[in-house]
Amino acid sequence: MSYGVDFSSMYRLVADYVAKILNGQKAADLPIQQPTKFNTSINLKTAKAIGIELPTAILLRADEVIE
């Protein structure tokens, strides 16, 4: 199981920062932004291999389930 930042949304934030800097804003004046979207991935094959059975509720909430 993995829970982490959605990198595609982070790349968009970086692109916005670069665009602002290239348009003349100072990097020191830009606000710090934190990620707002996170992904949960579950690897069922590995879970079964180590003897863990995950509840259906957790599987339904996951963004990605690897079978």
Side-chain angles (χ1 to χ4, degrees):
M1 182 181 272
S2 166
Y3 181 73
V5 176
D6 178 31
F7 286 107
S8 61
S9 65
M10 291 300 295
Y11 293 144
R12 283 189 216 102
L13 284 175
V14 170
D16 289 341
Y17 267 68
V18 170
K20 289 176 183 179
I21 291 170
L22 292 176
N23 286 330
Q25 286 188 355
K26 293 182 180 179
D29 295 338
L30 294 175
I32 296 174
Q33 294 184 352
Q34 293 183 351
T36 56
K37 185 172 181 193
F38 297 87
N39 286 338
T40 304
S41 299
I42 299 173
N43 189 329
L44 284 179
K45 184 178 178 181
T46 303
K48 288 178 184 177
I50 61 175
I52 297 174
E53 187 173 324
L54 296 168
T56 306
I58 291 176
L59 296 174
L60 292 174
R61 291 182 185 192
D63 295 305
E64 180 182 13
V65 177
I66 303 166
E67 294 186 31

